[in-house]
Amino acid sequence: MTPKDPGPAYCLNPGCGNPIGRNAGSGRPRHYCSDACGRAYRRAREKSPTPDALAHSAFAAQVADDLARAVTHMLQLTRAQQPLAALTLLRVVEGDLEDLKAVPIQQARDQRQRNADIAQCLGVPSEQITRKLSADAVRRRMDSRSLRTRTRVRLPRQAAPPTTTAPQGVSTARIPSHRRTPADGGEVTPSRARDPDRHPCGPAAVLTRALSHLQRLSGKPLRELADDSGVSASYVSRVLSGERCPSWKVARLLTLACAGDPAEIQPLWAAARGQVPTQRQSLPAALRGLHLAAARPCTDELGEHTRLTPHAITGMFNGTALPAWEDVEELAHALNAEAQPLRPLWNAACAALAAPLPSAAGPIPR
């Protein structure tokens, strides 16, 4: 193949993928099979959230949750007439408020809102938004929050509310956990899965890590993976670097080209897109997807970072037993991932476990 013959090319629109005929000669090469396909791709790119935008949304949700807990605890201290403790907690609330103000500003920039409109909402000069709350300043504030939270006041954890309402007749009894117990009856070694130095990656970063690890396991170079999946090499490179969040069609093609299991990737893709997982997805497959994104560490290594036994971890991956939510949360943190996207799948598994078995004479459910 000569340098002037770049080989077969395909439309950059992930929903198309048709081959593009390139005529020999000079001129700018075509990237879309038609002008209409190019316009559709650009419209979808504007609507599709980037990994940075998804990270901003996840960070804002985390800060809002921390702020709500801090305000609730501060109300309790005020009613209990503990002014010194309330004043100490006020410093935490003020820091959370600054974080919560910075992130929506960056979210507005992600939506291409003007600084003048943002400043008008806050009632401050536009120059203050540009100077004190620039994109770099917001990024530094997000990175420094992990250092500031190490010294923040310890608040009592509240049970996370379920994201879906349990159907009538579904038992809400707590599922027993499968945690290691010391043989001598002493204290259990604390879990390191939620150590302050460990910060779970957002859903978009987890999807990128999973696809990148699949590509490394396949041993295929970038050009060969692009040819096997029918996607342009430039787009594959942007997906594997985290610059682009692919459509499900592209994510599935890349998974199949690397001999992976799409069932393990689909929950990660849904979380990266900010979508609620469907009932067709299963909790064990999602956990295996997180395991893949973490480069598949052995169960003994995961057991060292958690209070779960290796046998229990294997059962969670295989789906032989339904774990308690705190076990799912701890395993997700040990895999350096957020656990909250798994909550709908865990709720669905609990509902399926409590549902009555179908009659032997009845039709087989599809």
Side-chain angles (χ1 to χ4, degrees), residues 179-194:
R179 297 177 179 269
R180 64 174 76 239
T181 55
D184 56 358
E187 295 184 358
V188 181
T189 303
S191 171
R192 291 184 290 163
R194 301 182 189 179

Side-chain angles (χ1 to χ4, degrees), residues 47-293:
K47 295 180 180 179
S48 176
T50 63
D52 287 340
L54 293 172
H56 296 152
S57 299
F59 184 81
Q62 175 190 353
V63 174
D65 182 64
D66 291 343
L67 179 61
R69 290 174 49 220
V71 170
T72 301
H73 190 53
M74 189 171 181
L75 179 61
Q76 296 172 356
L77 294 176
T78 304
R79 289 176 176 175
Q81 298 184 2
Q82 301 181 22
L84 296 182
L87 289 174
T88 303
L89 187 58
L90 183 61
R91 296 169 51 194
V92 177
V93 173
E94 291 174 345
D96 287 346
L97 281 174
E98 290 299 319
D99 289 344
L100 196 60
K101 180 175 70 173
V103 175
I105 290 176
Q106 189 57 44
Q107 287 179 314
R109 291 195 183 104
D110 294 338
Q111 299 176 4
R112 302 182 184 277
Q113 302 290 340
R114 299 185 306 167
N115 284 335
D117 296 335
I118 300 174
Q120 184 179 2
C121 294
L122 292 174
V124 298
S126 179
E127 294 78 10
Q128 183 176 344
I129 299 295
T130 307
R131 185 176 65 256
K132 293 185 178 181
L133 292 171
S134 63
D136 291 337
V138 173
R139 188 178 303 108
R140 288 194 299 269
R141 190 164 191 89
M142 292 175 62
D143 294 339
S144 65
R145 180 175 173 83
S146 59
L147 301 177
R148 287 181 281 117
T149 52
R150 296 182 187 179
T151 58
R152 64 183 287 131
V153 179
R154 296 292 181 180
L155 301 179
R157 289 187 60 87
Q158 299 175 354
T163 55
T164 57
T165 304
Q168 186 176 4
V170 174
S171 173
T172 58
R174 183 173 178 176
I175 302 173
S177 60
H178 302 80
R179 297 177 179 269
R180 64 174 76 239
T181 55
D184 56 358
E187 295 184 358
V188 181
T189 303
S191 171
R192 291 184 290 163
R194 301 182 189 179
D195 191 272
D197 292 333
R198 295 176 60 90
H199 307 291
C201 297
V206 172
L207 175 64
T208 300
R209 289 190 305 161
L211 294 176
S212 300
H213 188 62
L214 274 179
Q215 188 252 345
R216 290 192 296 270
L217 289 177
S218 67
K220 294 183 177 181
L222 190 63
R223 178 65 65 179
E224 181 180 354
L225 178 59
D227 293 340
D228 292 346
S229 59
V231 185
S232 68
S234 61
Y235 190 77
V236 173
S237 176
R238 283 180 284 175
V239 169
L240 297 182
S241 64
E243 182 181 349
R244 295 291 298 166
C245 186
S247 65
W248 170 239
K249 178 180 179 180
V250 173
R252 183 175 181 275
L253 288 174
L254 292 175
T255 303
L256 293 176
C258 295
D261 185 1
E264 298 177 355
I265 299 297
Q266 190 171 16
L268 308 185
W269 175 85
R273 286 280 185 168
Q275 300 179 5
V276 178
T278 63
Q279 298 297 330
R280 291 176 297 177
Q281 301 167 2
S282 67
L283 178 63
L287 290 174
R288 292 196 302 271
L290 297 183
H291 191 215
L292 170 67

Side-chain angles (χ1 to χ4, degrees), residues 261-344:
D261 185 1
E264 298 177 355
I265 299 297
Q266 190 171 16
L268 308 185
W269 175 85
R273 286 280 185 168
Q275 300 179 5
V276 178
T278 63
Q279 298 297 330
R280 291 176 297 177
Q281 301 167 2
S282 67
L283 178 63
L287 290 174
R288 292 196 302 271
L290 297 183
H291 191 215
L292 170 67
R296 289 177 176 162
C298 63
T299 55
D300 291 337
E301 180 181 350
L302 292 175
E304 293 177 358
H305 286 85
T306 66
R307 288 172 290 183
L308 302 171
T309 63
H311 178 74
I313 296 174
T314 303
M316 294 169 70
F317 288 146
N318 298 335
T320 55
L322 179 60
W325 170 247
E326 54 264 29
D327 296 346
V328 176
E329 192 175 21
E330 189 164 359
L331 179 59
H333 279 258
L335 294 171
N336 197 25
E338 297 177 353
Q340 199 57 35
L342 301 175
R343 187 81 191 204

